[in-house]
Amino acid sequence: MAEKVRYYLEQTLPELEDLQKRGVFSKPEIASITRRRTDFEHRIHGRGANLLDFLKYAEFEMNLDLLRKKRFNRLVGNGNGNNSGKQQGPASVSTWSGQQRIFFIFDRATDKFKGDINLWMQYISYARQQKARHLLKRILKTVLRLHPTRPELWVLAAEFELRENANRKAARNLILRGLKFNANSNQLVEAYQKLEADVIRAVDELNEKKKRVTEHNENDGDEGEDEDEDDSDGVDHESGAEASDGAESEVVDEDEIHDD
């Protein structure tokens, strides 16, 4: 256990050195962070490790990463009124290390406590908050394999495909697969009905748009025909050679319009 803890802590050295070099955290603060991480790593690797230890560890890292972003933004002159939680300025080795560590904590927690749905939901919520789409897809795939009889997870996965990937077909397939495991789920039936209603509405809107475009094109064609009639009337009133010259001009005009 001690070797594993030491290994994980060694992985944080480049990040901590970068934070101290940039002036985000002082040397005493770096030492304090290392002590807290060491304590958490020993707890989650101990025989008596429980879910609360993992959650406290994740909470500590989330708060630390938020503090890092605020301090970094203040250092680069973008900290005034910036409550978005997004780091401004150039990226470095410490930019994404906090986020990755939190993902790693959740990975280990869900591997140890596979049956805790609330834990999975917290992991999904954080991945969604961080806009980690590829990771979120992997999480959903794993949790559905472990808990196929939980309708809310199928609905969540379908919503992900619909909102993040705009993939109605994948969303429909997920709901239908969920119904195979949960045939009596009103939640899945309602989700399917809502999805189908959205599809019908989207098709109606598309057809209406096509209809407006067609009508617009037809109106433009009618106006062009009226103009041609007016031009031919003007030629008919000419006489002799003038009428002949007018006829040649009309043919030329038609050819030019056709070429365009």
Side-chain angles (χ1 to χ4, degrees):
M1 180 184 73
E3 292 182 1
K4 186 177 293 186
V5 170
R6 188 181 304 109
Y7 171 78
Y8 288 141
L9 293 175
E10 286 176 352
Q11 305 305 306
T12 70
L13 291 179
E15 166 210 354
L16 295 175
E17 290 174 356
D18 183 65
L19 290 171
Q20 185 175 345
K21 181 180 179 181
R22 287 171 172 261
V24 177
F25 293 121
S26 65
K27 188 175 181 178
E29 287 175 325
I30 295 294
S32 176
I33 292 170
T34 301
R35 285 195 299 271
R36 293 293 303 276
R37 285 177 174 170
T38 302
D39 181 56
F40 279 122
E41 287 292 340
H42 279 292
R43 287 186 182 183
I44 66 175
H45 283 98
R47 293 182 178 178
N50 56 54
L51 179 57
L52 187 60
D53 293 327
F54 285 91
L55 295 179
K56 285 184 176 180
Y57 193 4
E59 182 182 13
F60 166 76
E61 291 293 348
M62 289 179 189
N63 292 333
L64 180 65
D65 196 48
L66 181 60
L67 178 61
R68 176 193 62 78
K69 291 176 184 176
K70 288 182 177 180
R71 288 192 178 183
F72 186 84
N73 291 339
R74 189 159 55 243
L75 287 170
V76 298
N78 294 314
N80 295 329
N82 182 8
N83 298 318
S84 65
K86 296 180 179 179
Q87 176 174 308
Q88 309 296 319
S92 69
V93 66
S94 61
T95 302
W96 306 109
S97 57
Q99 179 197 78
Q100 295 302 315
R101 183 171 299 101
I102 296 167
F103 288 153
F104 185 45
I105 293 170
F106 274 117
D107 271 338
R108 289 182 286 175
T110 52
D111 184 62
K112 189 176 182 65
F113 302 97
K114 295 180 175 68
D116 196 299
I117 296 298
N118 289 331
L119 172 62
W120 283 104
M121 296 301 289
Q122 289 184 59
Y123 194 6
I124 291 170
S125 176
Y126 181 73
R128 178 185 290 175
Q129 178 188 345
Q130 299 300 309
K131 303 185 186 306
R133 293 174 56 188
H134 293 293
L135 175 63
L136 185 55
K137 188 172 184 176
R138 177 174 66 82
I139 297 170
L140 290 169
K141 182 178 180 180
T142 302
V143 73
L144 286 175
R145 177 173 54 81
L146 294 171
H147 303 282
T149 58
R150 300 299 295 254
E152 67 272 23
L153 296 177
W154 291 101
V155 172
L156 197 62
E159 289 177 350
F160 167 77
E161 288 294 346
L162 192 60
R163 295 177 181 177
E164 299 296 331
N165 299 327
N167 193 335
R168 288 190 176 93
K169 182 178 180 181
R172 182 189 291 110
N173 289 339
L174 281 166
I175 294 176
L176 291 175
R177 285 181 60 195
L179 284 169
K180 290 182 179 180
F181 293 97
N182 308 273
N184 299 320
S185 171
N186 292 329
Q187 186 179 8
L188 282 171
V189 172
E190 292 174 0
Y192 184 78
Q193 292 173 342
K194 181 181 178 182
L195 178 62
E196 291 302 306
D198 290 341
V199 171
I200 293 173
R201 182 165 53 252
V203 171
D204 289 342
E205 291 175 355
L206 181 61
N207 289 335
E208 182 64 26
K209 183 178 180 180
K210 289 181 178 179
K211 181 180 178 182
R212 288 196 300 268
V213 172
T214 302
E215 291 175 350
H216 177 73
N217 292 337
E218 289 177 351
N219 291 335
D220 288 346
D222 292 341
E223 291 177 1
E225 291 176 1
D226 292 341
E227 291 178 358
D228 291 341
E229 291 176 0
D230 292 340
D231 291 341
S232 63
D233 289 343
V235 173
D236 290 341
H237 288 89
E238 299 295 338
S239 61
E242 292 179 355
S244 176
D245 291 340
E248 290 182 5
S249 298
E250 185 178 354
V251 172
V252 172
D253 290 342
E254 288 178 355
D255 290 340
E256 290 176 353
I257 294 173
H258 178 73
D259 290 340
D260 290 341

